[in-house]
Amino acid sequence: DSGVTQTPKHLITATGQRVTLRCSPRSGDLSVYWYQQSLDQGLQFLIQYYNGEERAKGNILERFSAQQFPDLHSELNLSSLELGDSALYFCASSVAGGTSGITGELFFGEGSRLTVL
Amino acid sequence: DAKTTQPNSMESNEEEPVHLPCNHSTISGTDYIHWYRQLPSQGPEYVIHGLTSNVNNRMASLAIAEDRKSSTLILHRATLRDAAVYYCILRTKLGNTGKLIFGQGTTLQVKP
């Protein structure tokens, strides 16, 4: 158990719909990272938040957005869903990730499997 | 971020040592070498990391070449539970946000 909790574990929805994935980081971790894993693209970094602020951005589509709340949990919102958005979405957390340059290992949740029909 | 090159797949027999190679010829002096693995149906998990010297922990050993252009992850006695995708990742020390950029990794198959 990594200590990172993701909900829901599975989600099936239709094209054009909107979904929200939730992530609770490990206690004390300030950074939250979102990744997308599909069969043909591997693990793709989407976005990182540190203590409520966006810290780094990767290959995140404009239809996707994320935020980190004061209690440090994070949500990834996916809208106007397409078939190609079907994937595993992982959240990870780490204690650092600010401007100090101090790094630490990332702890990953078990993922949310999104199926778009 | 500097790139790494790993074999797509490797096979090992249970209870034998496994050496997983990684080439990173464009590594810079401030890049740490990280290894993560992803077991089937799970999120990635940290294995080990190092900068210049060889490193050991309870999961594995990391051997780093003297010129740092390559490294090897060593599993001393492979078990069936070690079947996973192993990712070798470079992460800079300077101005780093902490994010990891994953490549394709090496799929390790362990045979009983």
Side-chain angles (χ1 to χ4, degrees), chain A residues 96-112:
Chain A
T99 56
S100 67
I102 298 171
T103 61
E105 64 183 276
L106 269 61
F107 294 86
F108 284 79
E110 295 189 353
S112 292

Side-chain angles (χ1 to χ4, degrees), chain A residues 34-47:
Chain A
W34 285 98
Y35 286 83
Q36 178 192 56
Q37 186 171 36
S38 56
L39 282 174
D40 57 344
Q41 290 290 322
L43 268 163
Q44 298 287 310
F45 169 70
L46 295 179
I47 197 164

Side-chain angles (χ1 to χ4, degrees), chain A residues 86-105:
Chain A
S86 295
L88 260 173
Y89 290 85
F90 287 105
C91 168
S93 73
S94 72
V95 65
T99 56
S100 67
I102 298 171
T103 61
E105 64 183 276

Side-chain angles (χ1 to χ4, degrees), chain B residues 21-75:
Chain B
C22 181
N23 287 321
H24 28 78
S25 58
T26 59
I27 191 171
S28 75
T30 57
D31 285 340
Y32 283 88
I33 303 159
H34 290 252
W35 284 82
Y36 279 71
R37 72 178 185 180
Q38 186 174 18
L39 303 173
S41 302
Q42 293 189 26
E45 64 176 349
Y46 168 82
V47 178
I48 201 167
H49 79 281
L51 184 62
T52 56
S53 305
N54 295 343
V55 185
N56 300 297
N57 67 18
R58 63 174 180 80
M59 288 181 72
S61 295
L62 176 60
I64 301 173
E66 202 167 323
D67 63 3
R68 301 185 71 236
K69 293 184 186 300
S70 65
S71 60
T72 303
L73 179 70
I74 303 165
L75 307 179

